[in-house]
Amino acid sequence: MVHYGHSNQLRQARAMGDYLIVGVHTDEEIAKHKGPPVFTQEERYKMVQAIKWVDEVVPAAPYVTTLETLDKYNCDFCVHGNDITLTVDGRDTYEEVKQAGRYRECKRTQGVSTTDLVGRMLLVTKAHHSGQEMSSEYREYADSFGKCPGGRNPWTGVSQFLQTSQKIIQFASGKEPQPGETVIYVAGAFDLFHIGHVDFLEKVHRLADRPYIIAGLHFDQEVNRYKGKNYPIMNLHERTLSVLACRYVSEVVIGAPYAVTAELLSHFKVDLVCHGKTEIIPDRDGSDPYQEPKRRGIFRQIDSGSNLTTDLIVQRIITNRLEYEARNQKKEAKELAFLEAARRQAAQPWGERDDF
């Protein structure tokens, strides 16, 4: 998948240098070394390119990073999170570049993983919504999902994401609309931020020479009202970071009202309000949430050209449920074996160690 944990890693990587090139693996490589990918390679290439700290994307990057690859793209060093990534046979994919001193590490984002998001989709519970108590069912899932027999490692598994003002500041642009910019307002759940959202925001961005896009994100309870089931899969705090990481978005309203009111339009000095081709669900009182911008003649419906929705992503997961559960167990078993080998190596007397 591509989620705000990845965006945060790319933000940290970009801060270490001047130009960030991101290598994205093919579906075939991921299936071989990790398990079935949730997004296709074409979706992932475009998703990564839409993250505002990325300067360039290299499609079909090799799973094992070599010095040859770094030299090919004129890279001084490569960056990865402080978790391990292993090949299908359990080897560290960054071994060669680490030995050459061309490897840097950044902090992994606590409280989000593909494992956790996949689990939320498979388990129809609202425990991940902000303001909800964690149910015993979700707690049991969090303790066991993707867990291989014999323990738990610090990377594959489930933990709770804790939003801080510092994290929002790191992701936010901090820029206010400037004279001559067109202020465009869009609103929605933006759940499991995906290529459909990216295509929509890119089209909206093209509507003006100097666009300033404000995205209004609805509260979890509001999203659940019009989407049902256990939506949103990502809570408001997580959705905020996902949208802020997108290069087309300038500002986010955290917990926007469902109806686009005259007060909201005046407050942000909105020039244009856009919505995709998805159905507009009436407000609680049955009214059209876009009646005010329509009355003013500033409402536009935009066709993103993409048919991907959050529902379709969840459908992909459910269809491949057994494969994903097996993936998580296999991945954790591999990581635990690597950790155990590293621990034994460190405990050996110097004369017996084989790392020279």
Side-chain angles (χ1 to χ4, degrees), residues 46-302:
K46 199 161 186 181
M47 286 285 296
V48 173
Q49 189 63 70
I51 294 170
K52 62 186 177 184
W53 298 287
V54 176
D55 294 301
E56 187 182 331
V57 168
V58 172
Y63 197 77
V64 176
T65 305
T66 61
L67 294 173
E68 184 186 357
T69 302
L70 292 189
D71 291 340
K72 181 180 177 181
Y73 296 103
N74 297 316
C75 294
D76 295 296
F77 57 88
C78 68
V79 182
H80 191 263
N82 57 348
D83 55 333
I84 49 173
T85 172
L86 304 171
T87 61
V88 67
D89 54 3
R91 289 183 70 85
D92 181 354
T93 57
Y94 290 93
E95 190 174 15
E96 185 181 319
V97 290
K98 281 178 179 176
Q99 287 174 352
R102 290 173 68 180
Y103 175 84
R104 305 274 193 286
E105 215 161 70
C106 61
K107 282 185 186 172
R108 182 186 166 89
T109 307
Q110 287 295 313
V112 64
S113 66
T114 300
T115 306
D116 183 21
L117 294 174
V118 165
R120 293 182 200 178
M121 293 179 234
L122 294 176
L123 198 75
V124 185
T125 171
K126 299 177 191 174
H128 54 277
H129 293 178
S130 42
Q132 294 280 337
E133 275 296 306
M134 192 184 277
S135 66
S136 57
E137 183 192 14
Y138 190 75
R139 199 176 294 280
E140 188 182 327
Y141 144 73
D143 287 342
S144 65
F145 183 76
K147 193 172 176 181
C148 68
R152 171 110 187 238
N153 78 58
W155 304 299
T156 297
V158 181
S159 59
Q160 196 174 8
F161 171 69
L162 300 171
Q163 182 72 285
T164 62
S165 57
Q166 183 61 28
K167 186 62 66 208
I168 293 174
I169 289 166
Q170 288 168 343
F171 271 60
S173 70
K175 293 174 186 165
E176 295 197 344
Q178 299 302 306
E181 287 185 326
T182 303
V183 177
I184 307 172
Y185 182 75
V186 298
F190 290 97
D191 193 17
L192 287 177
F193 196 76
H194 55 72
I195 199 68
H197 299 130
V198 169
D199 286 340
F200 167 69
L201 290 166
E202 186 182 14
K203 288 261 177 82
V204 171
H205 196 265
R206 287 190 202 146
L207 293 176
D209 293 332
R210 295 177 58 204
Y212 184 95
I213 298 175
I214 301 174
L217 301 188
H218 301 140
F219 283 112
D220 295 345
Q221 289 72 17
E222 190 67 70
V223 175
N224 189 250
R225 175 187 72 82
Y226 63 80
K227 287 278 291 179
K229 298 178 185 171
N230 65 329
Y231 290 112
I233 303 299
M234 283 181 157
N235 67 42
L236 179 59
H237 300 311
E238 298 174 304
R239 292 183 286 119
T240 297
L241 294 187
S242 300
V243 176
L244 280 174
C246 179
R247 66 173 69 247
Y248 305 117
V249 175
S250 303
E251 180 63 289
V252 166
V253 181
I254 305 169
Y258 188 65
V260 182
T261 61
E263 183 185 14
L264 184 145
L265 296 174
S266 301
H267 179 86
F268 292 109
K269 298 180 174 59
V270 175
D271 299 302
L272 196 59
V273 175
C274 295
H275 188 273
K277 289 290 185 181
T278 53
E279 183 189 359
I280 297 172
I281 307 293
D283 205 347
R284 290 171 193 270
D285 61 1
S287 63
D288 179 355
Y290 291 98
Q291 64 184 13
E292 181 59 27
K294 283 177 180 176
R295 188 187 68 77
R296 297 188 184 194
I298 59 168
F299 179 79
R300 291 270 298 272
Q301 268 202 301
I302 304 296

Side-chain angles (χ1 to χ4, degrees), residues 25-35 41 60-64:
H25 309 310
T26 61
D27 294 344
E28 188 183 359
E29 281 277 83
I30 292 173
K32 178 185 171 186
H33 294 283
K34 288 177 85 168
Q41 60 199 43
Y63 197 77
V64 176

